[in-house]
Amino acid sequence: LPSREAFLAFVAERGFPRSIADWLAMNVRQGEDGLRFRLDLDAVEALLQDYFAVDLWPVLEEPGHARAFHVVLGGASDAVDEGDRARLAALPWIHTTVIEGAGHWLHVDAPDALFALISAALAS
């Protein structure tokens, strides 16, 4: 892409909000022929494939952990469906917080709210 503005437009045209486009734009660098995404997209794809291949529900569902789990979800995110939200709610050692209005990328959509949650958890 010829410029940062062209990159932002490219991302926005695909339906992503400006906050996500700005976050992604941190990973573009000027090359000889224009801007290039500096992430290794093949490595990102491999990580995603591995993520979707591993079922970690048994870790969450195993009672008797030394510490409780705290799951933070974006209220506007569909990454965790209603069935999985109910599954989380049924586990008494799982504390779930929903940040209303935030999407899946909490650190982009609601950084202050996420920081407050993490700070409170670390202080306790």
Side-chain angles (χ1 to χ4, degrees):
L1 296 167
S3 67
R4 178 179 164 81
E5 292 73 28
F7 176 83
L8 294 172
F10 178 84
V11 173
E13 287 167 6
R14 279 143 185 85
F16 292 94
R18 177 63 189 238
S19 59
I20 300 297
D22 286 336
W23 180 71
L24 288 171
M26 292 188 310
N27 291 295
V28 294
R29 296 291 180 258
Q30 187 65 44
E32 293 178 14
D33 58 348
L35 290 179
R36 294 261 177 207
F37 209 50
R38 71 179 174 124
L39 297 177
D40 181 345
L41 295 180
D42 291 333
V44 171
E45 182 178 359
L47 287 169
L48 281 171
Q49 288 175 3
D50 180 64
Y51 169 80
F52 287 113
V54 177
D55 180 6
L56 291 176
W57 273 105
V59 174
L60 293 176
E61 292 175 327
E62 177 70 30
H65 295 289
R67 295 177 69 68
F69 287 95
H70 191 144
V71 177
V72 183
L73 304 170
S77 173
D78 62 359
V80 179
D81 65 29
E82 290 304 317
D84 285 342
R85 288 177 188 231
R87 195 172 173 185
L88 287 170
L91 302 171
W93 53 86
I94 304 282
H95 177 75
T96 302
T97 298
V98 177
I99 299 177
E100 295 303 332
H104 177 63
W105 293 353
L106 299 168
H107 63 292
V108 175
D109 294 336
D112 294 338
L114 182 60
F115 180 77
L117 280 172
I118 293 171
S119 294
L122 291 174
S124 63

